[in-house]
Amino acid sequence: MEGKQSNTVNALLGLLSIHPMSGYDIRQLIPGSIGHFWSESYGQIYPALKRMTAEGLIAKKTSRTKGKPVRHEYSLTEAGRTRLAAWLKVPPAAPAPVRSELLLKLFFGGQVGAEVSRAHVEDALAFEQKTLAVYEATERAIKAAHPHNPHLPFWLFTLNLGRHTSKATIEWCVETLKELDRLAGIDGQ
Amino acid sequence: MEGKQSNTVNALLGLLSIHPMSGYDIRQLIPGSIGHFWSESYGQIYPALKRMTAEGLIAKKTSRTKGKPVRHEYSLTEAGRTRLAAWLKVPPAAPAPVRSELLLKLFFGGQVGAEVSRAHVEDALAFEQKTLAVYEATERAIKAAHPHNPHLPFWLFTLNLGRHTSKATIEWCVETLKELDRLAGIDGQ
DNA sequence: GGAATCATGTAAGTAGTTACATGATTGA
DNA sequence: TCAATCATGTAACTACTTACATGATTCC
């Protein structure tokens, strides 16, 4: 019954459950795995690994190959695996309130010309199309790399949500652009 | 050419552009306006109002009605209005990386039984359905309250995005539940 | 030889929430 | 009279990012 630990620890436990890794490896792995819904910087990772080692959740193995920099590889201990499973079973906390600068500017868009909002939405459309392309590329890549991995379906679930929301956002951009044109037309006459 | 100020300041400038308000009023107004994509706590609002007053972006009017607590009402100055318009025109920064505890647990869902993930997704579905209902109720409410307000279309844009992404999320939940059932079925045999 | 990248870490700063503190007013 | 809510604010804490510091290795 310890107090709730940070989710950084839980994310690292999860990643180390795939296979043992160094802090650097973890950072490199993130973009191609949990990167589209979770981020960790070195400033979080290294101190967390230290704390987790002290708590006995992970074990550190230092290897000195001649002509190579010292490498610190961490692997889950039994305690770590237990902790991960326990955390996975707890219903996730309510999502932290989002903050969208785009929507904030759009909400107050009436204070400036409609063409300002139009430009912002067009940028968002381009951005979201790229994001969608990345999701689809990632999906193909992990399907090709781990075709028989039992975890694959779970990895795809998370990518699917990205795909769904990206498509919805793109639709909204298109609709909103039309509306903004109508607005500008009314103003212009 | 000052350094970029925090978005809290910009959000408050925007809200005060609707009409003059106290810090308390601002906090109360948020849930029914920008609350679905932006949040501010008292711990942010009061210090920000103080700084903004010092910078001349807003003006404070203190009113002492007998039998009422002192009231500090803030209104935009010309400088504030100019600053708001300038900020609105700048393309919004790339969205901060999201962090979804649900997706994190789902990604590592293979470490525990499929029924664990199923329960999480079902919770998410219920949550999202409520969220969608709130968007739709808010939409009706502001349409009824401000039918001819020129800012109304902009307010609706932001709600529309919420509606679009909520619906996409709900679809994803339903699909994922089906997939999880298939997975559990395969395991179970 | 020099740039990129592998690799590990720390320090400082920013942004934000939560809890606390205070006190008046209103309504059941 | 007691709870809710109006109203303003501060202090402590947490989380996180960025920049810095260091040094080895690999590839051109």
Side-chain angles (χ1 to χ4, degrees):
Chain A
M1 313 300 171
E2 294 114 41
K4 54 170 304 193
Q5 74 270 341
S6 84
N7 272 330
T8 293
V9 168
N10 296 318
L12 297 191
L13 287 175
L15 290 172
L16 291 175
S17 79
I18 300 175
H19 54 80
M21 273 180 283
S22 68
Y24 188 81
D25 292 340
I26 290 172
R27 185 66 245 268
Q28 303 303 303
L29 181 61
I30 287 176
S33 58
I34 61 174
H36 52 109
F37 58 84
W38 201 267
S39 63
E40 296 291 352
S41 60
Y42 287 124
Q44 292 268 101
I45 293 171
Y46 284 115
L49 289 174
K50 195 179 272 185
R51 273 182 287 128
M52 290 160 75
T53 307
E55 283 181 57
L57 299 174
I58 55 178
K60 177 179 181 171
K61 205 178 71 180
T62 303
S63 62
R64 290 189 185 73
T65 319
K66 70 266 165 204
K68 286 266 169 98
V70 181
R71 201 186 143 74
H72 306 286
E73 205 175 59
Y74 297 90
S75 52
L76 283 194
T77 61
E78 258 326 293
R81 205 166 283 277
T82 307
R83 179 74 68 91
L84 173 61
W87 170 75
L88 286 172
K89 285 170 192 161
V90 176
V98 270
R99 287 189 132 195
S100 163
E101 212 181 305
L102 170 68
L103 291 189
L104 194 57
K105 291 195 180 192
L106 209 54
F107 190 89
F108 300 118
Q111 300 288 331
V112 288
E115 72 284 354
V116 170
S117 297
R118 200 184 195 287
H120 294 342
V121 175
E122 240 166 34
D123 289 353
L125 175 57
F127 179 87
E128 207 58 43
Q129 280 166 337
K130 264 181 210 152
T131 305
L132 179 57
V134 170
Y135 288 150
E136 288 171 345
T138 306
E139 188 170 331
R140 281 191 297 274
I142 66 166
K143 272 181 178 168
H146 313 275
H148 303 304
N149 192 309
H151 296 295
L152 180 62
F154 293 90
W155 300 346
L156 294 180
F157 291 155
T158 67
L159 279 169
N160 284 344
L161 181 56
R163 198 156 31 76
H164 270 78
T165 54
S166 259
K167 282 183 178 172
T169 303
I170 289 171
E171 261 179 53
W172 170 83
C173 285
V174 172
E175 279 178 29
T176 304
L177 285 174
K178 273 186 210 159
E179 287 283 319
L180 280 166
D181 285 339
R182 281 203 327 117
L183 268 185
I186 292 163
D187 277 8
Q189 271 156 33
Chain B
M1 316 310 167
E2 294 111 44
K4 54 170 302 193
Q5 72 270 336
S6 83
N7 272 330
T8 293
V9 168
N10 296 317
L12 297 191
L13 286 175
L15 290 171
L16 291 175
S17 79
I18 300 175
H19 54 80
M21 272 180 284
S22 68
Y24 187 82
D25 291 339
I26 290 173
R27 185 67 245 268
Q28 302 304 301
L29 182 61
I30 287 177
S33 57
I34 61 174
H36 52 109
F37 57 84
W38 201 266
S39 63
E40 296 292 352
S41 59
Y42 287 125
Q44 292 268 101
I45 293 171
Y46 284 115
L49 289 173
K50 194 179 272 186
R51 273 183 287 128
M52 291 159 75
T53 307
E55 283 181 56
L57 299 173
I58 55 177
K60 178 179 179 173
K61 207 177 71 180
T62 303
S63 62
R64 289 187 185 75
T65 318
K66 68 267 165 204
K68 285 267 168 98
V70 181
R71 200 186 143 74
H72 305 287
E73 204 175 60
Y74 297 89
S75 52
L76 284 193
T77 61
E78 257 326 292
R81 205 164 284 277
T82 307
R83 179 72 69 92
L84 172 62
W87 171 75
L88 285 172
K89 286 171 191 161
V90 176
V98 269
R99 288 190 131 194
S100 163
E101 214 181 302
L102 169 68
L103 292 188
L104 195 58
K105 292 197 180 191
L106 208 54
F107 189 89
F108 300 117
Q111 301 287 332
V112 288
E115 73 284 355
V116 170
S117 297
R118 201 186 195 286
H120 295 340
V121 175
E122 240 166 34
D123 289 353
L125 174 57
F127 179 85
E128 206 60 43
Q129 280 165 337
K130 263 180 210 153
T131 305
L132 179 58
V134 170
Y135 288 149
E136 288 171 345
T138 307
E139 189 171 329
R140 280 191 298 275
I142 67 165
K143 271 181 178 169
H146 312 274
H148 303 304
N149 193 308
H151 297 295
L152 179 63
F154 293 90
W155 300 345
L156 294 180
F157 291 155
T158 67
L159 279 169
N160 284 343
L161 181 56
R163 198 157 29 78
H164 271 78
T165 54
S166 258
K167 282 183 177 171
T169 303
I170 288 170
E171 263 180 52
W172 170 83
C173 286
V174 172
E175 279 178 28
T176 304
L177 286 174
K178 274 185 208 157
E179 287 283 318
L180 281 166
D181 285 341
R182 282 202 327 116
L183 268 184
I186 292 164
D187 277 6
Q189 268 156 37

